[in-house]
């Protein structure tokens, strides 16, 4: 049994990780979350009180972080400002949380010596051309495009330096696009599902041909747990599930799952600096740690996700109108 501290555990992937760990291990979990617009306490409802504790607080608060690190065996760091579109209209909180927040955690890890796992993104590698056979590997040079991805890249580099200079017991993972339950309605898949529930056409940026490499959030969680248990200190592991799809293909699957015509979508303004394609080579994780994804059928994963949003309207409804007002300002 391990005492785990999970930052950002009220967000999409963090909350899925909390559920996954409580269901699959004997570990106890403390979530530290600032409860920004992206945090949702309902995502952590019904968890066992003897194994789960929630603390509302900021990862930039060194005193609170130091106290919590002294009470735990390991930290898994998910807390972040996570949305590219927001980083284009207001980058300041991205620098604060993603860089200063990570720095604050690393300093606490240095003092306490606890195991630290850093959750990051494939976006640190920039993008690939549509016709490029290459995929990102752990050796691809960093080349981030947006304020979001550049702050995530900065945080990864801090981790590498704290390992080498101070011996912090850290690993890093860089994962591709996640889908599944409890994702904020600002993100691509939930936005389109909830638009359709509201009778609005899905919105595709630009020509809709950008490619993302989709993975189910539970597969991300099982990979992070595997790295926490067996990953080599100082190493980076890429996480993916061979899920490359154009945004149009994803929309068509959502439209099919919701009984709509396949061309019932609108093309809208493109995202400035929009990365064209992401693709992950996850063979290191497979070969070194024996991990593989469990969700291989994307269309049934999408159908399950559609069902979740239909059945959990009280979870997402409070955020929907404000999210769409913000998109209206950029013509998206
Ligand atoms: P999210 O926006 O859904 O959740 C982020 C959580 O962090 C929220 O609960 C928020 O309240 C909390 N938070 C924000 N600032 C904080 C602060 N200063 N102190 C404490 N808590 C704070 O994000 P997500 O999509 O779940 O992403 C989680 C992590 O996974 C991020 O680090 C992101 O970079 C990474 N990641 C996400 C994806 C993806 O597809 N969503 C893919 C790869 C990696
Ligand atoms: O690759 C991992 C990253 O995936 C994570 O690091 C980020 O935290 C996560 O938000 C996600 O980033 P993206 O920018 O790829 O995700 P998003 O859901 O915002 O958009 C997915 C694709 O869909 C992207 O090409 C933009 C496009 N899009 C998005 C929205 C919201 C649309 O075409 N229409 C939309 O309405």
């Amino acid at each position: 049994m391990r005492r785990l501290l999970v930052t950002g555990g009220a967000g999409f992937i963090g909350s899925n990780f909390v559920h996954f760990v409580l269901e699959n291990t004997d570990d106890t979990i403390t979530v530290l979350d600032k409860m920004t617009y992206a945090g949702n306490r309902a995502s952590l409802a019904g968890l066992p009180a003897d194994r789960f504790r929630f603390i509302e607080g900021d990862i930039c608060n060194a005193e609170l972080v130091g106290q919590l690190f002294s009470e735990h065996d390991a930290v898994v760091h998910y807390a972040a400002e996570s949305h590219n579109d927001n980083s284009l209209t207001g980058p300041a909180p991205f620098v604060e949380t993603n860089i200063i927040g990570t720095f604050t955690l690393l300093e606490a890890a240095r003092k306490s010596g606890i195991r630290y796992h850093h959750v990051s993104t494939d976006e640190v590698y920039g993008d690939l051309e549509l016709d490029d056979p290459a995929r990102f590997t752990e050796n691809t040079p960093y080349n981030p495009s947006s304020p979001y991805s550049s702050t995530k890249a900065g945080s990864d580099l801090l981790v590498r330096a704290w390992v080498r200079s101070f011996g912090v017991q850290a690993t890093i993972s860089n994962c591709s696009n996640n889908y599944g339950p409890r994702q904020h309605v600002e993100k691509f898949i939930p936005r389109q599902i909830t638009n359709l529930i509201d009778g609005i056409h899905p919105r595709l940026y630009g020509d809709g041909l950008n490619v993302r490499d989709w993975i189910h959030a539970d597969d991300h969680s099982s990979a992070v747990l595997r790295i926490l248990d067996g990953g080599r200190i100082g190493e980076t592991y890429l996480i993916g599930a061979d899920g490359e799809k154009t945004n149009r293909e994803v929309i068509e699957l959502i439209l099919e799952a919701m009984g709509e015509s396949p061309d019932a979508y609108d093309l809208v303004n493109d995202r400035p600096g929009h990365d064209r394609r992401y693709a992950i080579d996850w063979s290191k994780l497979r070969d070194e740690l024996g991990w593989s994804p469990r969700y291989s059928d994307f269309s049934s994963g999408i159908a399950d996700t559609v069902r979740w949003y239909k059945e959990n309207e009280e979870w997402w409804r409070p955020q929907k109108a404000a999210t769409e007002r913000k998109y209206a300002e950029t013509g998206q």
Side-chain angles (χ1 to χ4, degrees):
M1 190 202 91
R2 191 170 33 191
R3 297 167 304 169
L4 279 185
L5 178 64
V6 176
T7 72
F12 166 46
I13 307 181
S15 64
N16 278 293
F17 180 75
V18 169
H19 285 272
F20 188 88
V21 169
L22 291 175
E23 279 159 27
N24 291 286
T25 73
D26 295 328
D27 294 348
T28 64
I29 291 187
T30 304
V31 162
L32 171 62
D33 198 296
K34 187 180 174 183
M35 297 306 286
T36 68
Y37 78 97
N40 193 332
R41 279 304 305 267
S43 298
L44 298 168
L47 295 173
D50 57 334
R51 292 179 61 209
F52 173 73
R53 182 165 68 127
F54 179 82
I55 292 180
E56 183 167 338
D58 192 333
I59 57 165
C60 298
N61 178 342
E63 196 182 330
L64 173 63
V65 164
Q67 177 60 36
L68 287 171
F69 273 45
S70 73
E71 299 165 1
H72 292 82
D73 303 309
V75 58
V76 184
H77 174 34
Y78 287 94
E81 286 294 334
S82 70
H83 193 38
N84 277 299
D85 291 323
N86 292 343
S87 81
L88 294 162
T89 52
F94 288 76
V95 175
E96 181 69 14
T97 287
N98 300 358
I99 295 188
I100 305 297
T102 298
F103 161 74
T104 307
L105 297 178
L106 286 168
E107 283 292 86
R110 172 150 84 112
K111 287 177 194 131
S112 67
I114 71 170
R115 176 83 170 81
Y116 173 102
H117 181 71
H118 184 75
V119 177
S120 192
T121 168
D122 59 356
E123 296 192 15
V124 299
Y125 300 114
D127 62 353
L128 300 161
E129 295 300 326
L130 294 180
D131 59 358
D132 187 343
R135 295 190 286 171
F136 299 138
T137 74
E138 287 79 3
N139 298 318
T140 304
Y142 274 38
N143 187 27
S145 313
S146 73
Y148 162 67
S149 53
S150 63
T151 58
K152 289 299 291 187
S155 72
D156 292 9
L157 297 181
L158 290 178
V159 179
R160 290 183 183 193
W162 261 243
V163 169
R164 177 155 173 169
S165 303
F166 305 123
V168 165
Q169 299 291 295
T171 42
I172 300 175
S173 54
N174 297 81
C175 187
S176 57
N177 284 63
N178 285 221
Y179 73 97
R182 297 186 280 266
Q183 186 171 30
H184 195 281
V185 290
E186 69 190 355
K187 302 296 195 316
F188 179 54
I189 290 176
R191 184 183 184 206
Q192 315 312 338
I193 294 171
T194 53
N195 272 358
L196 283 163
I197 291 172
D198 283 348
I200 300 166
H201 271 190
R203 311 279 164 120
L204 270 180
Y205 294 173
D207 60 10
L209 295 179
N210 301 62
V211 169
R212 295 295 181 266
D213 192 353
W214 294 97
I215 180 173
H216 194 280
D218 276 356
D219 280 333
H220 188 178
S221 295
S222 70
V224 166
L225 195 56
R226 187 67 62 90
I227 296 165
L228 191 63
D229 288 336
R232 285 184 293 136
I233 298 304
E235 290 293 314
T236 288
Y237 296 88
L238 262 52
I239 305 173
D242 301 330
E244 280 188 73
K245 295 263 177 296
T246 66
N247 292 336
R248 275 193 207 205
E249 288 172 319
V250 176
I251 284 286
E252 283 163 10
L253 284 171
I254 293 171
L255 287 164
E256 188 186 341
M258 298 186 74
E260 304 280 345
S261 133
D263 57 356
Y265 59 79
D266 296 333
L267 295 178
V268 297
N269 288 342
D270 206 354
R271 172 185 284 172
H274 195 178
D275 281 340
R276 198 57 166 156
R277 170 175 161 252
Y278 305 139
I280 289 270
D281 175 348
W282 49 277
S283 53
K284 177 176 173 180
L285 188 55
R286 181 194 61 214
D287 297 345
E288 227 179 76
L289 299 180
W291 177 86
S292 59
R294 208 165 59 81
Y295 292 80
S296 52
D297 183 348
F298 184 66
S299 53
S300 77
I302 286 290
D304 288 347
T305 307
V306 166
R307 199 168 314 116
W308 191 87
Y309 281 89
K310 281 185 173 167
E311 288 171 0
N312 290 278
E313 185 163 342
E314 72 290 351
W315 183 93
W316 56 266
R317 179 57 71 190
Q319 282 97 40
K320 183 65 180 169
T323 303
E324 288 306 318
R325 270 197 301 277
K326 216 163 158 193
Y327 277 125
E329 286 168 19
T330 52
Q332 293 173 315

